[in-house]
Amino acid sequence: MMTIHFTPEPAPESTSLAIVKLANAELRFTEGPLAGLTIIGFSIWRRHDGTRFVRVPTTEVKGISYPTIQPTGVAAPLFDLQSAILAAYRAQKHIA
């Protein structure tokens, strides 16, 4: 089983920013081979039009950022994970 935990970011001083970081997210595993492990580095962002999106953890090599979580084939599992993180954020924050 996996749970998603959020750490809210302080409200920005300026509301005119194009995108605003809302929270950091981490995936905590309680069962199976990943039990006791946490994946950190996810973040929830809001665009100026109000839409929200998830950034996945990345690592930088020679100035280029690469996602540390990548699909092995089609990208659907990664999109599903991002959707699950957004749904959990909405549920915990009571956001439509």
Side-chain angles (χ1 to χ4, degrees):
M1 174 176 224
M2 173 188 78
T3 58
I4 304 170
H5 293 263
F6 299 97
T7 305
E9 284 287 311
E13 292 182 18
S14 172
T15 57
S16 64
L17 300 173
I19 61 171
V20 175
K21 186 176 181 182
L22 301 174
N24 290 307
E26 57 185 46
L27 309 180
R28 296 181 185 175
F29 297 91
T30 57
E31 296 176 8
L34 299 178
L37 297 177
T38 300
I39 299 177
I40 62 172
F42 294 91
S43 53
I44 310 292
W45 294 78
R46 184 183 65 229
R47 292 184 179 96
H48 62 86
D49 64 1
T51 59
R52 292 177 178 83
F53 64 97
V54 175
R55 293 193 69 181
V56 299
T58 60
T59 188
E60 189 173 314
V61 178
K62 296 183 180 181
I64 300 173
S65 292
Y66 296 95
T68 56
I69 295 180
Q70 298 184 3
T72 56
V74 296
L78 184 56
F79 295 132
D80 291 345
L81 177 60
Q82 290 172 311
S83 295
I85 292 170
L86 282 174
Y89 182 78
R90 283 192 300 270
Q92 290 185 24
K93 296 294 181 186
H94 308 289
I95 298 170

